[in-house]
Amino acid sequence: MEQRSESFLVEQSVPGERLDIFLRTRYPAVSRGAFQRLIEEGHIQVNGQRVKPTHQPKRGDTVAVFFPEARAAEAKPEDIPLDIIFEDADLIVLNKPPGLVVHPAAGNEEHTLVNALLHHCKGQLSGIGGVARPGIVHRLDKDTSGCLVAAKNDETHLGLSEQFSERSLDKTYLAIVCGVMARNTGEIRAAIARHPTHRKRMAVNEGEGREARTTYTVVQRFTAATLVEIQLHTGRTHQIRVHFQHIGFPVAGDPTYAAKQTKKLTELTQYEPPRVMLHSQKLRFVHPRNKKTLTFEAPVPGDFSAAIKALRSA
């Protein structure tokens, strides 16, 4: 990875927001832990001074960010088949199958998408922010299928990250939710934060959460469920799952946010979802190098098609 530095002016203060969280918003492809490490090592400075991750940037501050050369990858390359939708010298777009973890973590250090990409791309992946998630610009949950893009170099990584941050990248999902939605279209605006007691869950929290916006259109109604097309306008953790739980129509098959509703769905229809019924259907972005607008679509996997068929006939 090439060493890269950038500096920018803080245009607006956010009361109480830490520097590591502020930078995470600007560079969503880089983990908060990576930013904390870079700040503590002096690679990120504010107005020419070393600061702590808890520093609160203010309007008019100059933030200098230096991405040092990445450490050698700890994840091991693995020859795992990939469903490639598009690939060039700068990026790769994949149709991720359900059940595949995107990046290594405690308990999932092998057999992840990152392991597969390290083998397929043979050292080409961008390593911005360290090597925990080489090339990964955004992530999908383990059970979510569909379109995902990874960067092969730092220029592409930063260019795509900027589009995610500025919300100029279009993400369309399909979901099967519990219950019959009456409205044909809708918008959900509700801030999302870490759940106050269940640390692996997220929750709507207007007081402490970060802004989140989701819009949807009903595609088809079933006996006790609804197929919806969803536009994601922000990229918060578990955003779709939390937002649809918040309005009373959680995503079918979700053990974290829809256990009771999924059980009721199965009782009413005799259909039991095998996973969280969420699919990243379309992805549209501007190629960072040639500036062409690219649109990709991932066909729904077999279990999703089977769910629609079963619910139609229920």
Side-chain angles (χ1 to χ4, degrees):
M1 167 186 169
E2 292 182 3
Q3 298 182 0
R4 186 185 180 105
S5 60
E6 293 189 351
S7 62
F8 61 90
L9 201 66
V10 178
E11 297 180 355
Q12 183 177 357
S13 303
V14 179
E17 184 168 66
R18 299 161 46 119
L19 179 60
D20 54 355
I21 297 175
F22 172 82
L23 290 167
R24 181 79 174 85
T25 302
R26 185 178 177 90
Y27 304 99
V30 184
S31 70
R32 182 177 171 187
F35 274 128
Q36 290 173 347
R37 176 175 55 80
L38 292 172
I39 294 169
E40 290 167 353
E41 292 175 356
H43 296 303
I44 297 174
Q45 299 184 357
V46 178
N47 300 323
Q49 302 293 321
R50 293 185 65 155
V51 293
K52 295 182 178 180
T54 54
H55 175 83
Q56 297 179 15
K58 298 177 177 59
R59 182 179 179 181
D61 283 350
T62 299
V63 180
V65 181
F66 172 68
F67 292 108
E69 186 175 353
R71 301 186 306 276
E74 296 174 4
K76 300 291 190 292
E78 293 184 51
D79 188 3
I80 300 171
L82 293 172
D83 184 355
I84 300 171
I85 299 173
F86 172 83
E87 182 177 14
D88 65 8
D90 298 301
L91 54 87
I92 181 170
V93 180
L94 305 166
N95 180 13
K96 186 186 92 66
L100 179 64
V101 175
V102 170
H103 59 85
N108 286 299
E109 280 129 16
E110 298 178 332
H111 317 312
T112 72
L113 183 64
V114 163
N115 297 110
L117 285 170
L118 286 170
H119 177 271
H120 179 80
C121 297
K122 297 178 182 176
Q124 297 176 336
L125 294 175
S126 167
I128 283 179
V131 296
R133 293 183 286 181
I136 301 298
V137 181
H138 66 123
R139 59 170 290 176
L140 298 177
D141 293 329
K142 176 183 177 181
D143 279 349
T144 303
S145 55
C147 286
L148 182 144
V149 60
K152 291 186 177 182
N153 53 62
D154 297 344
E155 180 184 358
T156 302
H157 204 151
L158 290 171
L160 290 172
S161 295
E162 186 176 356
Q163 292 180 57
F164 274 94
S165 177
E166 295 178 350
R167 304 167 190 172
S168 59
L169 181 150
D170 289 341
K171 294 172 283 184
T172 303
Y173 288 75
L174 285 177
I176 297 172
V177 300
C178 298
V180 181
M181 304 187 77
R183 297 180 60 183
N184 291 328
T185 61
E187 178 183 55
I188 309 167
R189 283 183 178 267
I192 294 174
R194 186 70 58 183
H195 194 284
T197 55
H198 301 285
R199 302 310 296 169
K200 292 186 178 181
R201 295 178 58 177
M202 308 300 288
V204 167
N205 188 330
E206 297 293 350
E208 298 181 5
R210 300 188 66 82
E211 172 198 3
R213 176 176 173 243
T214 307
T215 56
Y216 66 87
T217 301
V218 168
V219 177
Q220 188 172 1
R221 295 178 178 88
F222 309 111
T223 299
T226 308
L227 176 64
V228 289
E229 183 179 272
I230 301 164
Q231 294 284 338
L232 209 54
H233 301 277
T234 49
R236 310 303 174 210
T237 301
H238 296 179
Q239 180 171 322
I240 292 174
R241 298 162 64 189
V242 172
H243 267 179
F244 277 84
Q245 180 206 37
H246 178 63
I247 65 171
F249 298 94
V251 180
D254 191 336
T256 303
Y257 300 102
K260 290 182 180 179
Q261 295 90 335
T262 297
K263 183 179 179 181
K264 182 179 179 181
L265 172 66
T266 300
E267 291 172 352
L268 292 171
T269 64
Q270 307 306 307
Y271 168 72
E272 186 174 355
R275 63 172 173 104
V276 180
M277 301 311 293
L278 186 60
H279 176 69
S280 176
Q281 183 188 32
K282 296 178 184 177
L283 195 59
R284 184 173 70 86
F285 57 86
V286 175
H287 195 293
R289 186 179 298 278
N290 61 32
K291 308 305 179 186
K292 291 182 179 179
T293 298
L294 304 175
T295 303
F296 303 102
E297 183 168 351
V300 295
D303 62 354
F304 206 98
S305 299
I308 294 173
K309 183 178 180 180
L311 290 167
R312 279 176 181 162
S313 60

